[in-house]
Short mmCIF file of all heavy atoms in Angstrom, two decimals:
data_model
loop_
_atom_site.label_atom_id
_atom_site.label_comp_id
_atom_site.label_asym_id
_atom_site.label_seq_id
_atom_site.Cartn_x
_atom_site.Cartn_y
_atom_site.Cartn_z
N ARG A 187 -16.35 120.91 -56.07
CA ARG A 187 -15.63 119.82 -56.50
C ARG A 187 -15.15 119.00 -55.25
O ARG A 187 -14.68 119.57 -54.26
CB ARG A 187 -14.37 120.28 -57.36
CG ARG A 187 -13.60 119.14 -57.89
CD ARG A 187 -12.39 119.59 -58.58
NE ARG A 187 -12.51 120.43 -59.71
CZ ARG A 187 -12.73 119.88 -60.94
NH1 ARG A 187 -12.81 118.61 -61.12
NH2 ARG A 187 -13.02 120.79 -61.95
N VAL A 188 -15.24 117.67 -55.28
CA VAL A 188 -14.74 116.77 -54.21
C VAL A 188 -13.85 115.71 -54.84
O VAL A 188 -14.32 115.16 -56.01
CB VAL A 188 -16.05 116.10 -53.48
CG1 VAL A 188 -15.43 115.17 -52.38
CG2 VAL A 188 -16.90 117.21 -52.99
N GLU A 189 -12.88 115.36 -54.23
CA GLU A 189 -12.00 114.16 -54.60
C GLU A 189 -11.71 113.40 -53.36
O GLU A 189 -11.39 113.91 -52.30
CB GLU A 189 -10.73 114.64 -55.27
CG GLU A 189 -10.01 113.39 -55.94
CD GLU A 189 -8.89 113.77 -56.90
OE1 GLU A 189 -9.02 114.85 -57.65
OE2 GLU A 189 -7.88 113.17 -56.87
N ARG A 241 -17.93 99.77 -65.77
CA ARG A 241 -17.22 99.67 -67.05
C ARG A 241 -16.15 98.59 -66.92
O ARG A 241 -15.54 98.11 -67.82
CB ARG A 241 -16.56 100.96 -67.48
CG ARG A 241 -17.66 101.97 -67.90
CD ARG A 241 -17.10 103.28 -67.68
NE ARG A 241 -18.38 104.26 -67.58
CZ ARG A 241 -18.73 104.95 -68.49
NH1 ARG A 241 -18.00 105.01 -69.69
NH2 ARG A 241 -19.79 105.71 -68.38
N LYS A 253 -14.42 111.24 -57.83
CA LYS A 253 -14.47 112.64 -58.05
C LYS A 253 -15.92 113.00 -58.23
O LYS A 253 -16.71 112.43 -59.01
CB LYS A 253 -13.54 112.95 -59.31
CG LYS A 253 -12.22 112.70 -59.05
CD LYS A 253 -11.36 113.12 -60.28
CE LYS A 253 -10.81 112.03 -60.93
NZ LYS A 253 -10.13 112.45 -62.26
N ALA A 254 -16.29 114.24 -57.65
CA ALA A 254 -17.67 114.59 -57.84
C ALA A 254 -17.68 116.09 -58.02
O ALA A 254 -16.82 116.87 -57.47
CB ALA A 254 -18.48 114.19 -56.66
N ILE A 255 -18.73 116.63 -58.71
CA ILE A 255 -18.90 117.99 -58.80
C ILE A 255 -20.40 118.30 -59.23
O ILE A 255 -21.06 117.38 -59.97
CB ILE A 255 -17.93 118.59 -60.01
CG1 ILE A 255 -17.90 120.09 -59.80
CG2 ILE A 255 -18.32 118.15 -61.43
CD1 ILE A 255 -16.69 120.73 -60.83
N VAL A 256 -20.86 119.41 -58.82
CA VAL A 256 -22.41 119.70 -59.28
C VAL A 256 -22.18 120.11 -60.77
O VAL A 256 -21.55 121.12 -61.19
CB VAL A 256 -22.81 120.94 -58.41
CG1 VAL A 256 -24.33 121.27 -58.91
CG2 VAL A 256 -23.00 120.42 -56.98
N ASN A 257 -22.96 119.39 -61.62
CA ASN A 257 -22.90 119.70 -62.95
C ASN A 257 -23.87 120.87 -63.36
O ASN A 257 -23.63 121.75 -64.27
CB ASN A 257 -23.28 118.49 -63.85
CG ASN A 257 -22.19 117.51 -63.94
OD1 ASN A 257 -21.07 117.82 -63.76
ND2 ASN A 257 -22.62 116.32 -64.13
N GLU A 265 -27.99 118.37 -60.25
CA GLU A 265 -27.40 117.12 -60.68
C GLU A 265 -25.85 117.10 -60.34
O GLU A 265 -25.12 118.07 -60.63
CB GLU A 265 -27.50 117.01 -62.18
CG GLU A 265 -26.94 115.56 -62.52
CD GLU A 265 -26.60 115.36 -64.04
OE1 GLU A 265 -27.48 115.07 -64.79
OE2 GLU A 265 -25.38 115.65 -64.36
N VAL A 266 -25.49 116.15 -59.59
CA VAL A 266 -24.14 115.83 -59.23
C VAL A 266 -23.64 114.71 -60.03
O VAL A 266 -24.27 113.71 -60.15
CB VAL A 266 -23.88 115.58 -57.70
CG1 VAL A 266 -22.49 115.39 -57.30
CG2 VAL A 266 -24.53 116.66 -56.88
N GLY A 267 -22.40 114.86 -60.71
CA GLY A 267 -21.89 113.76 -61.46
C GLY A 267 -20.75 113.18 -60.59
O GLY A 267 -20.00 113.88 -59.89
N VAL A 268 -20.58 111.91 -60.60
CA VAL A 268 -19.46 111.20 -59.96
C VAL A 268 -18.87 110.33 -60.85
O VAL A 268 -19.38 109.59 -61.67
CB VAL A 268 -20.00 110.32 -58.76
CG1 VAL A 268 -18.79 109.97 -57.93
CG2 VAL A 268 -21.09 110.91 -57.92
N CYS A 269 -17.40 110.30 -60.74
CA CYS A 269 -16.68 109.43 -61.57
C CYS A 269 -15.57 108.60 -60.75
O CYS A 269 -15.05 109.23 -59.82
CB CYS A 269 -16.04 110.26 -62.70
SG CYS A 269 -14.43 109.91 -63.27
N HIS A 283 -11.16 103.40 -65.68
CA HIS A 283 -12.51 104.05 -65.43
C HIS A 283 -13.35 102.95 -65.04
O HIS A 283 -13.63 101.96 -65.62
CB HIS A 283 -12.91 104.68 -66.71
CG HIS A 283 -14.30 105.48 -66.48
ND1 HIS A 283 -14.93 105.98 -67.51
CD2 HIS A 283 -14.89 105.73 -65.40
CE1 HIS A 283 -16.01 106.61 -67.07
NE2 HIS A 283 -15.97 106.46 -65.77
N ASN A 285 -16.56 103.52 -63.07
CA ASN A 285 -18.10 103.84 -63.05
C ASN A 285 -18.20 105.34 -63.11
O ASN A 285 -17.29 106.05 -62.64
CB ASN A 285 -18.67 103.38 -61.68
CG ASN A 285 -20.15 103.16 -61.83
OD1 ASN A 285 -20.78 103.94 -62.56
ND2 ASN A 285 -20.66 102.18 -61.09
N SER A 286 -19.39 105.75 -63.63
CA SER A 286 -19.74 107.18 -63.59
C SER A 286 -21.30 107.08 -63.38
O SER A 286 -21.96 106.24 -63.85
CB SER A 286 -19.55 107.83 -64.97
OG SER A 286 -18.16 108.10 -65.12
N ALA A 287 -21.73 108.17 -62.50
CA ALA A 287 -23.14 108.11 -62.25
C ALA A 287 -23.54 109.50 -62.04
O ALA A 287 -22.75 110.47 -61.76
CB ALA A 287 -23.50 107.28 -61.09
N PHE A 288 -24.88 109.76 -62.23
CA PHE A 288 -25.54 111.10 -62.05
C PHE A 288 -26.54 111.09 -60.98
O PHE A 288 -27.40 110.24 -61.22
CB PHE A 288 -25.92 111.67 -63.47
CG PHE A 288 -24.85 111.59 -64.47
CD1 PHE A 288 -24.73 110.72 -65.29
CD2 PHE A 288 -23.84 112.77 -64.44
CE1 PHE A 288 -23.67 110.64 -66.27
CE2 PHE A 288 -22.91 112.79 -65.40
CZ PHE A 288 -22.72 111.70 -66.23
N ASP A 312 -15.28 121.29 -70.42
CA ASP A 312 -15.96 120.07 -69.91
C ASP A 312 -17.11 120.59 -68.99
O ASP A 312 -18.19 119.97 -69.00
CB ASP A 312 -15.09 119.27 -69.07
CG ASP A 312 -14.36 118.22 -70.00
OD1 ASP A 312 -14.81 118.06 -71.18
OD2 ASP A 312 -13.50 117.50 -69.52
N ARG A 315 -19.99 121.63 -71.08
CA ARG A 315 -20.67 120.41 -71.70
C ARG A 315 -21.46 119.65 -70.73
O ARG A 315 -22.65 119.32 -70.95
CB ARG A 315 -19.59 119.51 -72.27
CG ARG A 315 -20.01 118.22 -72.84
CD ARG A 315 -18.94 117.36 -73.35
NE ARG A 315 -17.85 117.00 -72.33
CZ ARG A 315 -18.01 115.98 -71.44
NH1 ARG A 315 -19.15 115.28 -71.38
NH2 ARG A 315 -16.95 115.81 -70.62
N ARG A 316 -20.91 119.46 -69.54
CA ARG A 316 -21.75 118.65 -68.65
C ARG A 316 -22.93 119.45 -68.14
O ARG A 316 -23.99 118.86 -67.79
CB ARG A 316 -20.82 118.39 -67.38
CG ARG A 316 -19.71 117.41 -67.59
CD ARG A 316 -18.74 117.29 -66.60
NE ARG A 316 -17.69 116.34 -66.81
CZ ARG A 316 -16.55 116.47 -66.31
NH1 ARG A 316 -16.05 117.36 -65.52
NH2 ARG A 316 -15.62 115.56 -66.79
N GLU A 319 -25.38 118.75 -70.84
CA GLU A 319 -25.89 117.36 -70.70
C GLU A 319 -26.70 117.17 -69.56
O GLU A 319 -27.65 116.29 -69.56
CB GLU A 319 -24.53 116.49 -70.74
CG GLU A 319 -23.99 116.48 -72.13
CD GLU A 319 -22.70 115.56 -72.08
OE1 GLU A 319 -22.20 114.99 -71.16
OE2 GLU A 319 -22.00 115.52 -73.20
N ARG A 323 -30.34 115.26 -69.61
CA ARG A 323 -30.68 114.28 -68.67
C ARG A 323 -31.82 114.47 -67.80
O ARG A 323 -32.76 113.65 -67.67
CB ARG A 323 -29.50 113.92 -67.80
CG ARG A 323 -28.43 112.91 -68.46
CD ARG A 323 -27.48 112.44 -67.49
NE ARG A 323 -26.53 113.52 -66.96
CZ ARG A 323 -25.40 113.88 -67.53
NH1 ARG A 323 -24.99 113.29 -68.56
NH2 ARG A 323 -24.79 114.92 -67.07
P1 ADP B 601 -18.82 113.08 -68.43
O1 ADP B 601 -17.64 114.07 -68.41
O2 ADP B 601 -19.11 112.80 -69.88
O3 ADP B 601 -20.03 113.59 -67.64
P2 ADP B 601 -17.18 111.29 -66.93
O4 ADP B 601 -17.39 109.83 -66.71
O5 ADP B 601 -15.84 111.92 -67.24
O6 ADP B 601 -18.30 111.69 -67.83
O7 ADP B 601 -17.69 112.02 -65.52
C1 ADP B 601 -18.85 111.72 -64.89
C2 ADP B 601 -19.16 112.88 -63.96
O8 ADP B 601 -18.13 112.78 -62.80
C3 ADP B 601 -18.94 114.15 -64.61
O9 ADP B 601 -20.22 114.61 -65.18
C4 ADP B 601 -18.55 115.03 -63.33
O10 ADP B 601 -19.77 115.49 -62.63
C5 ADP B 601 -17.74 114.12 -62.43
N1 ADP B 601 -16.42 114.42 -62.66
C6 ADP B 601 -15.64 113.85 -63.70
N2 ADP B 601 -14.31 114.27 -63.64
C7 ADP B 601 -14.33 115.13 -62.47
C8 ADP B 601 -13.26 115.73 -61.77
N3 ADP B 601 -12.02 115.83 -62.24
N4 ADP B 601 -13.61 116.41 -60.60
C9 ADP B 601 -14.87 116.40 -60.17
N5 ADP B 601 -15.83 115.70 -60.77
C10 ADP B 601 -15.58 115.12 -61.89
#
Side-chain angles (χ1 to χ4, degrees):
R187 188 188 294 277
V188 180
E189 185 168 322
R241 291 149 203 261
K253 293 185 248 174
I255 196 164
V256 175
N257 285 336
E265 184 198 272
V266 181
V268 195
C269 145
H283 187 185
N285 200 329
S286 286
F288 303 97
D312 270 349
R315 171 181 59 81
R316 288 171 184 152
E319 287 176 359
R323 277 187 292 268

